[in-house]
Every structure is written in structure tokens, then in C-alpha cells.
Amino acid sequence: MAEGRAGLHVPEPVSRPGFEWDFSSVPIPAAGLVDRPPTNVAADEIRDFPFKLIRVLDDDGRAVGSWNPDLAVETLIEGLRAMMLTRAYDSRMVRMQRQGKTSFYMKSTGEEAVAVAAAMALERGDMCFPTYRQQGLLIARNWPLVDMMNQVYSNSGDRLKGRQMPVFYSSREAGFFSISGNLGTQYVQAVGWAMASASDGDRRIAAAWIGEGATAEGDFHYALTFASIYQAPVILNIVNNQWAISSFSGVAGGERTTFAARGLGYGIPALRVDGNDFLAVFAVTSWAAERARRGGGPTVIEHFTYRAEGHSTSDDPGKYRPRDEAAGWPLGDPISRLKAHLINGGQWSEVEHLAMQKAAEATVREADKEAESYGTLTGGGRPDPSTMFDDVYKEMPENLRAQRAQAML
Amino acid sequence: MNMIEAINSAMDVALARDSNVTILGEDVGFFGGVFRATAGLQAKHGKTRVFDTPITECGIIGVAVGMAAYGLRPVPEIQFADYIYPALDQLVSEAARLRYRSAGEFPMPITVRSPFGGGIFGGQTHSQSPEGIFTHVSGLKTVVPSNPYDAKGLLLASIEDNDPTIFFEPKRIYNGPFDGHYDRPVSPWAKHEGSEVPEGYYTVPLGKAAIVRAGADVTILTYGTMVHVARAAVEELGVDAEVIDLRTLVPLDIETIEASVKKTGRCLIVHEATRTSGFGAELAAMVQERCFYHLEAPVERVTGFDTPYPHSLEWAYFPGPIRIGMALEKVMKD
């Protein structure tokens, strides 16, 4: 510690615009180094895990170590497909936003594995409490893209009837809880859902996601407190993508410890995983799910990843970080890494990959064509304005009936 | 029954009727609640149905939202209404809006019970009446009972209701009605109407006010403890006032209010909560909009002052019989 007087420490990222990106201070251990404990391990036996990094895919795309989930090639290709479809979908929706067909969009570029691998490791009945950046959950669960687009366009086919901003999906059927603009709120709700499931003797579990920025919200603390006290069957995912809009992870408290380590103080086992490694994310999610289903209680998982694009279509990351910083992220890209793994194993080829890429783009294009036939934010079909007054309450009270009559004049 | 017993009975009946009803909150389990409202319920219905939570109001409501999303019917308790603020985000941003924002996929049948109101030397943080904060939130219902019979019936109706309900219990009248004369002893509920409470199931419908005293000269709109204070003041002054206990603030029984004010031509609104932007302002505006040509005098409001609730100065603050009398005189003069 420097000699002298106390001064206010204001965290600052290593690089800003106009400078070279620099990830030299980010320690990246080799793949396969962390042993996979049994799912009934006592929490205090894996107290060092929040400071490790579970990685399966090495730099050559080989799956190494005891966390390798040994997935069938069909599963891997399905994962690749869902991640590529998610990326193609994101790319198309941003283009449509730029064309003025919707007001807003948020990509998940670089974080596709965090959602897709988790969805594939969970059971369909497990309830997900996502943030706005886990669209991969819906896509991996084969939820219709047209339905998602209808929501983004707030068109006549939007099941949410134009009430929610784009990307704030809701699908009870797909086990995808209604997204809120208020950060962190879903984290404690997921714990409540899991408590209800446990109290009901149900085998379904809950999974929640939160960004590293929102771990600073009180709800993060409430969720970990309740999850630990009642040993709720819940997976508490923290997606550490390094950035909360313009604030780097240090502003969320990431300079002196890991986000996974926050689980320790609550007595919750916590894992830290390479979030760009499909196999590793699949493996840790399966581990936590099995533990929860067996009555072993909650698990915290920090997914170490990088937000490769702007926060949203309203954001320009070039204003606060080096423009090409994403290219330097030492954990690479989740799609490229799974592709390399498949090619390395002789189970995939550039030709097949290109074909899958084209198929994903075509699927998205076709879906978009259909969705736009139901209208966009700026043209065509729209939700009936009189439905604006529905669902505030189960039955419409008199004041709302009167206001509806006024709105319809 | 007194009001606590009636509320306890409502939860006992609800727990027995519907296996999805779950009670949670600080000290509500083994101990039975700091006001005894949940006494005996854990022993009778089990620890997974009635349980203690850590001290985190936002956590309690957040967990209740998740439980409701699963399909349970949670009845969380916030120990004092003064401590409901940490839960505002979960109540306002989540519970109130989930049905709407999910287009009905996630209804939120939650009933938040919370003791509220002053008159007990509770000072700043054991006396507040924050109902106006909640009546302003679309998607929430707000209920305030004033006697044991209504308390049980309204609580059962709230628990059965498929929308989130804030159920405020005026703690000043848990044991007996309070007429505002703080220097006189309070008699227990057993000696008053409204204390005969059926053991079993019944409901008092939400959205229906009760005319607790029929009258011809002026309409008094009030709820909670102030129902008793206003009634006593009316009898003492010999004014032929029609006293309406709103019982449910949202949804509001507009029909009963409108009919009464059109009949009497005068309106006085009484609540404990602070004046500015309090629920009385909404009532006054509504009466003015709907009954303008029937009004013979400006609508008057007797409310708490626009200050935090003081401790030693309680009876100077509390809108008691003298202030109600002055307002009645004013509204009757024109």
C-alpha cells in the first residue's frame, strides 16, 4: 500500500478510447485444470472454486479435463445451431431498428453460450428468470422467432399487445419469465419460485440471470440470502461481461475479488466458468441443476465473458472503451470455439458451418418476413388501442372502463 | 372477536381452504407475529405454509412474487406499513405490473398485510398511513378495514382475489374502536358492533363501501380508525351526517359516494395520512367532477398535517374530534 493519506479510489478500466486494448491483467488459466467435484460436495469443500476458472475447450478446440460433459455430437451441433441462430436474429433485429421498424434492440453477441448452453442443460419445465440479454434461452428452447419478432415490432401479433419495450419477452409456456426493465428484481423472484417448487415437492428448479453490474442492486443480496436460508433449488447465474453500459466491472466491485466469490459469504457453493466455452457452461449448469434437484440447494455461477457489442441500439461503446476491444478478449468467441472443437474432432467442416450460417440467416429472414406481415412499430398492423386497459386487473374497474371510453373517442 | 382474532381467523380459514395459501414475514411463524395476528397458524398448518423470513422487506415481497409466478397464493406480512418502502420496487415495478406486462401470463394473487396508522405513540416509524402511495399505482388494490367483521371478510376476499392487494390494518383499533378521545379509556371490541365474527368462511366484497351511518346533511368519506373518530364526532355535534366507510380505496365504490354526495350536497373527507397528494385529494377531485352541480359548499378535508408523524405531539397531529368538528361547521355553514 502506498504511503500517505487516504484518498478516494475511483476505479478506472485499463484502456479507454484512443488506446490499445489490454487484457494482460486478466488471468486466464489453461483449460482442464479444475477438477469436477461430486454434486453432493459440501459447500465448504469447494470454497476455492470462485477464484478458479472452469474451462473445457483448450486453445486448440480440444475438450479436456473432468468438467468435459462428453456431449453427443448431435447436442453440440444443436448448440452451435442455436447460438448461430441467436446471433443471426440479433443482427437482423439491429438492422430493422436502424431501418426504423422498431424503437430499440439489445444484442447478446459474444454471450450466446451463456444462455444457449444453460437452456440445453436445464429441463424444459425448469423456470428461467432472465435479464434482457438471454434471448438464447428462448431460441435454444425452439420458441418461434416470429413470436419474438412480433414482440420487438409491437405488431398485431405481439402477445404482449405492444405494452413492453422490445426484447422484454414473456413466455410462460417456454419457461421464460416476463422481463422487467428494473434490474435485479427477477433474481429474488427466481428464489421465491424455487422455494414454492420445493415446498410443493416438485422436481422442477429455477434459474436466474443477472449481469455483474446489477449484482450491486439490493435484490442480489436478498436473493442470495433467501436462497441460502431456505436451500432453494435455484441456479444463480451472474453474467460478468465486463461492462454495465459504460461502467467497467470494477465499478460494480470487481477489482478486488470475483463476482462468484460473493456466494461464499452466504454459504452458497459458487463456480466460476469460462462463459465463452459452450461445454463448460453446459457442464456447470448440469452440475448445479443436479445438485439443486437432489436437494443440495442453490449454486452461484459466474460466467466470465465479454459484451462484444454496444449495450443497446442506444449506446456507442466507442465512447468509453477501445473500439476493437472485443477482438482482444482472451476467451475468444463462443461460436468460433465450438466450431473449432467440432472441426478438430472431425465432426464438422467449414462447408457445413457456412451452410448452417446461411440456413440461420434464411430462417431469420423468413421469420422476419412473416412478422412484418403483422406490422412493425411504424407501419402495418398494431395492437388494438382498447386493449391498453386490459390486464391491469383481472376485471376492469369502473375508472378504467371510463378511461377506455375516453381513449376510444 | 377483536380485529386481531378476526384477521387470524381469516388466515386460518384461507390456509385450510386453499393449499396454495402461504404466509411469510418477519416473526410470523413460531412466535405468531408481533401483534399475534398469525398466532397458532404455523403449529396448525406447518412450517412450509407459515414461516419466518429474514429482515428484508424487498426480499419478502420479491420472493412472494416468485411464489405467485409458480402458482402459490402468498400472504406476506410487512411488520409495520412504515417499513414497506424497501419493498416498493418489487410492489410497484413487479407485483403491480406483472399481469399487464405479461398480458395475463403471470397473474399476481398476493395479499400484503401490514399494520398501519397512528394514535399509539408510535412516532415517525410506527404510525404512518402510506395508502396514497399505493392507490397511485395501477395494478394494485388497496383495502383498509375498520372493524373485525369487515377485517376477516375483506382479508378473505383479498386473499382469494387474483390481483395484488395491499391490506392495511389500522393497529389503533386492533383491540377496540377508538373515537379520538385519547383521554378516555378504550373499550374492547366485544362491546361494539362489528365484533360478531363467524368462525368459518365468508367474504366482504372488495370495491364496496359501507354506509355506517345514514344521514341527510353532509357526506363524510373516510376509512380505518377515522371511521370511528368521525362517527363519534358526528354524534357529539348532532350533525345528520352520512358516514361512509370506503373499506376499499382501489377499486373505489364510486357509485355509493356519488349517490350520497348528490343527496346531501356536502362532503367532508377524513384520513390520518398527510394532506398533500393524499388519497383525500383524489376523493375531493372525484366528488367535484361528478357532483359539482349538487355541491352546496366546497369539499373539505381533515387529514394529518404535512409533517412526519411526531411522537410527543401525537394528539396535536392526529385529526381528532375537534378538527373534524371545525371542518363540519365550515362545510355546513354555506
Side-chain angles (χ1 to χ4, degrees):
Chain A
M1 185 182 282
E3 292 291 323
R5 287 193 295 182
L8 182 68
H9 171 71
V10 179
E12 188 62 32
V14 175
S15 304
R16 285 296 194 185
F19 294 87
E20 290 290 298
W21 51 261
D22 178 6
F23 289 111
S24 58
S25 60
V26 179
I28 305 292
L33 291 181
V34 183
D35 285 332
R36 183 185 185 276
T39 55
N40 62 355
V41 70
D44 61 2
E45 284 176 49
I46 52 169
R47 288 182 61 83
D48 51 341
F49 274 58
F51 306 100
K52 300 180 175 186
L53 191 64
I54 296 167
R55 306 182 65 208
V56 173
L57 291 172
D58 70 12
D59 294 344
D60 300 321
R62 285 175 309 190
V64 295
S66 59
W67 280 96
N68 179 5
D70 289 320
L71 296 175
V73 66
E74 298 76 32
T75 309
L76 295 176
I77 290 173
E78 173 53 26
L80 189 65
R81 186 199 67 86
M83 290 200 290
M84 289 171 76
L85 193 56
T86 303
R87 189 166 294 181
Y89 172 72
D90 278 353
S91 164
R92 178 98 188 171
M93 289 297 96
V94 163
R95 214 156 63 240
M96 297 303 107
Q97 190 275 340
R98 298 302 185 213
Q99 288 180 20
K101 290 177 178 171
T102 187
S103 58
F104 181 77
Y105 192 75
M106 302 177 99
K107 285 175 138 182
S108 62
T109 312
E111 301 173 41
E112 292 90 347
V114 169
V116 169
M120 291 177 67
L122 292 169
E123 290 179 11
R124 178 91 180 183
D126 297 334
M127 181 60 93
C128 298
F129 289 77
T131 75
Y132 44 66
R133 223 183 290 283
Q134 278 81 49
Q135 49 267 56
L137 292 170
L138 279 170
I139 289 172
R141 284 181 165 179
N142 290 312
W143 190 250
L145 289 182
V146 175
D147 186 81
M148 295 169 70
M149 289 171 172
N150 288 343
Q151 197 282 328
V152 170
Y153 289 140
S154 281
N155 62 19
S156 59
D158 177 10
R159 286 182 303 106
L160 307 185
K161 300 175 185 173
R163 293 173 190 160
Q164 281 271 57
M165 263 177 83
V167 315
F168 290 10
Y169 312 105
S170 177
S171 174
R172 189 176 191 121
E173 204 185 323
F176 188 97
F177 187 71
S178 161
I179 293 175
S180 171
N182 296 64
L183 295 185
T185 51
Q186 77 289 349
Y187 223 52
V188 63
Q189 292 162 0
V191 176
W193 195 98
M195 287 168 67
S197 176
S199 135
D200 205 26
D202 197 332
R203 74 181 299 279
R204 292 180 295 161
I205 65 170
W209 283 260
I210 197 167
E212 93 285 350
T215 62
E217 294 280 5
D219 296 71
F220 177 77
H221 163 68
Y222 311 141
L224 268 64
T225 301
F226 275 85
S228 173
I229 291 168
Y230 302 101
Q231 289 294 287
V234 62
I235 304 175
L236 296 164
N237 295 289
I238 303 164
V239 184
N240 176 6
N241 67 11
Q242 317 301 321
W243 291 95
I245 309 187
S246 74
S247 302
F248 91 112
S249 59
V251 176
E255 278 188 320
R256 261 156 272 277
T257 186
T258 67
F259 290 95
R262 281 146 173 68
L264 288 181
Y266 298 86
I268 301 177
L271 309 176
R272 194 160 164 272
V273 63
D274 174 351
N276 291 13
D277 179 340
F278 180 89
L279 294 174
V281 173
F282 190 102
V284 296
T285 307
S286 303
W287 188 92
E290 187 183 311
R291 187 176 170 89
R293 252 185 263 286
R294 284 183 174 177
T299 303
V300 166
I301 302 174
E302 175 185 347
H303 301 262
F304 199 60
T305 183
Y306 182 84
R307 195 194 76 210
E309 299 268 353
H311 166 71
S312 72
T313 50
S314 306
D315 177 47
D316 173 9
K319 295 265 167 59
Y320 50 80
R321 69 184 191 190
R323 217 163 262 288
D324 60 349
E325 195 183 68
W329 179 243
L331 296 174
D333 175 81
I335 293 177
S336 306
R337 285 177 63 196
L338 184 56
K339 173 193 168 190
H341 171 63
L342 281 162
I343 289 178
N344 184 292
Q347 295 157 319
W348 198 238
S349 67
E350 289 290 352
V351 174
E352 284 170 298
H353 194 77
L354 191 64
M356 184 174 267
Q357 175 68 32
K358 292 216 173 303
E361 284 163 9
T363 302
V364 169
R365 203 165 46 239
E366 285 305 303
D368 192 8
K369 212 168 128 191
E370 187 186 338
E372 288 194 41
S373 76
Y374 306 126
T376 67
L377 182 64
T378 44
R382 297 281 292 280
D384 176 355
S386 75
T387 63
M388 177 164 68
F389 300 91
D390 296 337
D391 301 321
V392 178
Y393 300 94
K394 184 158 195 288
E395 273 115 37
M396 195 180 296
E398 192 192 319
N399 61 323
L400 283 183
R401 285 200 301 273
Q403 289 168 28
R404 183 178 61 181
Q406 287 174 346
M408 293 303 101
L409 288 178
Chain B
M1 291 185 196
N2 67 27
M3 206 145 142
I4 283 286
E5 290 160 343
I7 286 162
N8 182 280
S9 171
M11 286 188 276
D12 188 23
V13 169
L15 284 160
R17 279 173 64 91
D18 182 349
S19 63
N20 289 321
V21 171
T22 305
I23 289 168
L24 65 157
E26 297 157 13
D27 305 297
V28 306
F30 183 83
F31 180 59
V34 295
F35 289 104
R36 318 306 303 149
T38 53
L41 298 180
Q42 185 182 71
K44 185 167 171 189
H45 299 281
K47 282 209 298 188
T48 61
R49 307 280 312 279
V50 182
F51 61 89
D52 290 324
T53 63
I55 303 171
T56 157
E57 290 74 18
C58 192
I60 291 167
I61 302 301
V63 154
V65 169
M67 289 177 153
Y70 178 88
L72 299 190
R73 202 168 274 278
V75 186
E77 177 185 299
I78 300 295
Q79 203 160 74
F80 287 87
D82 314 64
Y83 303 136
I84 203 166
Y85 308 125
L88 277 183
D89 191 31
Q90 285 286 347
L91 285 169
V92 176
S93 312
E94 303 293 322
R97 293 186 182 160
L98 264 156
R99 176 189 291 280
Y100 189 74
R101 78 173 199 231
S102 70
E105 280 192 334
F106 293 101
M108 287 285 121
I110 297 171
T111 303
V112 183
R113 290 181 41 249
S114 192
F116 101 136
I120 58 149
F121 282 105
Q124 295 191 18
T125 58
H126 299 83
S127 306
Q128 294 168 41
S129 299
E131 69 274 19
I133 292 172
F134 297 96
T135 57
H136 189 57
V137 178
S138 336
L140 294 181
K141 294 181 175 174
T142 305
V143 177
V144 187
S146 72
N147 61 65
Y149 181 88
D150 282 357
K152 178 171 176 179
L154 287 166
L155 183 52
L156 275 164
S158 299
I159 293 170
E160 280 186 354
D161 194 89
N162 289 309
D163 293 314
T165 301
I166 311 294
F167 191 87
F168 280 134
E169 301 165 2
K171 56 190 173 295
R172 185 63 180 84
I173 55 172
Y174 268 158
N175 295 312
F178 174 64
D179 62 9
H181 292 286
Y182 55 90
D183 46 352
R184 299 179 197 163
V186 168
S187 62
W189 270 112
K191 296 180 179 169
H192 296 272
E193 60 181 302
S195 66
E196 275 188 34
V197 178
E199 292 287 338
Y201 170 82
Y202 69 93
T203 59
V204 172
L206 303 186
K208 292 276 174 243
I211 299 173
V212 294
R213 184 197 187 281
D217 293 345
V218 55
T219 298
I220 299 181
L221 303 178
T222 188
Y223 47 91
T225 301
M226 300 315 292
V227 170
H228 305 284
V229 180
R231 271 181 91 172
V234 161
E235 300 304 339
E236 288 158 18
L237 293 162
V239 178
D240 189 20
E242 182 145 293
V243 181
I244 299 181
D245 176 0
L246 298 175
R247 301 199 288 199
T248 308
L249 308 187
V250 177
L252 186 63
D253 186 352
I254 298 168
E255 215 172 286
T256 298
I257 297 169
E258 191 174 336
S260 176
V261 177
K262 283 184 173 168
K263 179 180 75 177
T264 62
R266 298 169 199 273
C267 181
L268 172 67
I269 294 156
V270 184
H271 62 56
E272 280 183 69
T274 51
R275 188 179 185 88
T276 302
S277 301
F279 190 63
E282 178 61 31
L283 290 170
M286 199 202 68
V287 166
Q288 183 273 137
E289 284 163 6
R290 290 174 179 253
C291 311
F292 185 77
Y293 295 106
H294 294 78
L295 283 174
E296 291 170 41
V299 177
E300 279 292 316
R301 281 183 286 164
V302 178
T303 70
F305 296 120
D306 284 338
T307 70
Y309 204 109
H311 179 241
S312 71
L313 306 174
E314 174 135 63
W315 301 118
Y317 178 89
F318 188 89
I322 295 170
R323 284 171 58 203
I324 292 174
M326 284 163 63
L328 271 174
E329 203 174 299
K330 192 173 169 203
V331 80
M332 296 304 297
K333 200 164 61 188
D334 298 312

